[in-house]
Amino acid sequence: SCAMSSYEYSLLPLEDDNIRLLHLLPDKDKDAPLQCELRNYSLQKLGPGTHLYKALSYVWGESNNPLPICVDKIEFSVGANLHAALSQLRDHSFVRIIWADAICINQGNLVEQGQQVQIMAKIYSNAHRVIVWLGDETEEIKGALEDIQLAADEEATEHSKKKTNKQAILKLLKQQWFQRIWVLQEVAAARHVVMMCGSTQIDGYAFCLGLKSLSLSYTASPNLQTLPSVVYLIERAGLRSKHTSNLPERFSLNIRCLVELIDMFHTRKATDVRDKVYALLGMSSDDPSGVGLRPDYEVSWKELFRKLINSVLGKNVSVEIPDDSDDDSQRAVIKSKGYILGQVSSVKSDDRQNVNITFTSKHAAWYLSDKIEWTLQASAKSIQKRDIVCLLQGASKPTIIRLYKDHFAIIVIAVTPLKKIGSPKLLELPRSITHFPRDFLLVWDWEQPLEESQDREESKN
C-alpha cells in the first residue's frame, strides 16, 4: 500500500560525496505498481571496485502527465519516460539498484542540486554501467537497432547489410536523447554503455561500430550535426582513464577545455539553460571555479552567461543580453575591439569530426606563409568559406566570425587548433598584437545553428 502524502527527502550529508540510490523492488507481475526504496550512499567509502548500480541516461520529457510510483511506501510522481524505463528494468526476482536524477536528487532543493551536479561525472563513472534509455520501442525503432547491430558485425554478409532501412535509423538518431547537453557527460564518464529501447538492447560500442560501418550522412539535418561527437564519446567510454585530476575536490574527465566544449556543443538542448554550461564542467580540463563557474542554481542565467563571456574575452568587453520575451535569452551582443588575422579560403571535414581550414592573411607580423592551415574539432556552428579569423582585444585565442548586414555572428569563440601548418606559436599571438584597430559588433547565439541566412554579406577585407 502506498500513502498519498508528499515525499519528504532526508538531507544528504555534504561530505564524502553522498548520493541516494533507488532500490527497485522485484515483482513477478509485469503490471504491478512500481515499489522502490531510497538509500543514502557514499561514493567516497568505496573500495577499488565499482558498486553495482546502474545509472540511467534519459530525457525527462513532458511533465504534464506524471505517473505514480511508490518510494518508501509514499506516492511519488515521475515523468512517463522514466516510468517506462523503470518498468522495463524491474526484475521478477532481484532488487535492481539504480541512480536516476529525477528521484535521487531532491529537485526542490537548489543547494543540493548544485552540489550533486558537481559530482555528476563521478556518479556516472562509478556506475557499473550506464543505461541509455531511448524510450519504448516501436517496430520501426526495434528494426533500426537490429540493423545497427548487424552492421557492427563485420562477418555479416553484404546481402544483409543492403536491406538496411536508413530512414528508420536516421529517425532513431533524431530522438531527443541525442540532442540533449547532459547526455554527453553521462556517456563520456561511463565504464560501459548499453543502449536500450523497450526490451531491445545493444552494447554502446557495437552501436557506434554499426553506425560507422553504415556511413550515413548527417549533414542534411541540423539536428544531426553534432551526432558524430556523441558517437565518439560513447565509443571511447570504456577507454578513458577514470583517474581523478590532481585537484582532489574536483573530479573531471579532462576531455577538452571548457570553452572548446562550449564551441562544440552550445546549440544542444537543456531544460534549464544554465545547464548548457554546468553540464560541460565535468568534462572540462581547466578548473572553471577560478572564474566563478561552479554549478550554482541561485545564480541567474544572464549572470552566468556574462561571467562566461568575460572569462573567454576578458573583463573589458561590453556584454548585453537583450531582454527577449523570456529571461533565458541565449543571445549576447558583444562590443569589442579586434584585429583581423585573415579570411577562411577553404574548409574540409573528415570522418574524425575534424575540420581543416585554410585562411589567407595579409599580415606579415605573425605568420610564415600567406596560407595558414588549421585542423579544428568540429564546432556546433559550421565554419564556411569567407568567414573571418580575428583576435579580439583581451582574448587569449582567435575567434571566427561571419559578417551579416549589421553585425558579425560568432561562429567559434575560441579557436583551438589540433594541428597547425604555416602559423607560428599561437600562444604568442595575443602578445604579438598590441593594436586593435577595428570595432566589432558581435552576436553570439546559443539557440540555433545558423542557417545560410539571406542577409549574409560579402566581406571585403
Side-chain angles (χ1 to χ4, degrees), residues 95-291:
V95 172
R96 295 264 197 221
I97 301 177
I98 289 168
W99 189 87
D101 57 357
I103 306 173
C104 298
I105 298 176
N106 178 353
Q107 300 296 332
N109 179 336
L110 293 177
V111 177
E112 180 185 307
Q113 264 186 307
Q115 181 261 334
Q116 291 281 290
V117 163
Q118 280 185 51
I119 60 170
M120 201 72 95
K122 209 179 248 186
I123 293 171
Y124 279 89
S125 69
N126 276 305
H128 78 113
R129 57 177 48 175
V130 170
I131 298 211
V132 170
W133 172 255
L134 295 172
D136 276 326
E137 66 196 342
T138 57
E139 275 309 303
E140 191 177 27
I141 282 176
K142 192 176 168 180
L145 282 173
E146 283 166 1
D147 282 348
I148 294 171
Q149 179 94 50
L150 261 178
D153 177 5
E154 285 173 2
E155 291 172 5
T157 58
E158 283 307 306
H159 172 66
S160 60
K161 287 189 187 175
K162 289 228 166 48
K163 294 196 300 233
T164 308
N165 179 350
K166 292 198 171 171
Q167 283 326 100
I169 293 175
L170 289 171
K171 188 171 170 183
L172 167 74
L173 298 175
K174 284 182 187 161
Q175 287 228 14
Q176 271 194 314
W177 183 86
F178 292 98
Q179 324 282 327
R180 312 286 302 165
I181 192 121
W182 272 116
V183 307
L184 301 167
Q185 169 176 285
E186 293 165 1
V187 293
R191 290 162 191 262
H192 181 186
V193 176
V194 175
M195 320 284 288
M196 230 176 127
C197 202
S199 58
T200 308
Q201 295 189 15
I202 176 172
D203 173 86
Y205 187 67
F207 180 81
C208 298
L209 282 185
L211 281 182
K212 283 184 140 168
S213 89
L214 288 167
S215 46
L216 304 162
S217 161
Y218 302 126
T219 45
S221 156
N223 283 347
L224 293 175
Q225 257 169 9
T226 59
L227 185 84
S229 52
V230 191
V231 171
Y232 172 77
L233 289 173
I234 297 174
E235 183 181 19
R236 299 190 58 78
L239 306 175
R240 248 175 235 104
S241 150
K242 301 293 182 252
H243 295 303
T244 51
S245 57
N246 38 16
L247 302 160
E249 68 288 355
R250 192 174 156 266
F251 176 89
S252 174
L253 302 167
N254 289 333
I255 291 176
R256 290 225 176 347
C257 71
L258 179 64
V259 65
E260 275 187 85
L261 293 167
I262 284 172
D263 270 326
M264 289 161 71
F265 298 125
H266 64 262
T267 52
R268 295 185 143 257
K269 313 269 193 302
T271 313
D272 182 329
V273 67
R274 293 168 294 190
D275 286 337
K276 287 197 168 198
V277 178
Y278 296 158
L280 299 173
L281 293 177
M283 298 192 289
S284 77
S285 51
D286 42 357
D287 185 5
S289 56
V291 285

Side-chain angles (χ1 to χ4, degrees), residues 20-21 23 74 123 140 146 181 250 284 298 307 341 346 404 409 419 437 457:
R20 298 185 188 91
L21 287 174
H23 290 208
I74 294 167
I123 293 171
E140 191 177 27
E146 283 166 1
I181 192 121
R250 192 174 156 266
S284 77
E298 294 173 45
K307 263 187 194 163
L341 298 170
S346 80
Y404 286 89
K419 291 206 296 282
E457 292 280 305

Side-chain angles (χ1 to χ4, degrees), residues 41-53 125-126 191:
Y41 190 85
S42 158
L43 289 176
Q44 285 286 330
K45 299 190 173 134
L46 316 178
T50 49
H51 328 308
L52 296 180
Y53 65 90
S125 69
N126 276 305
R191 290 162 191 262

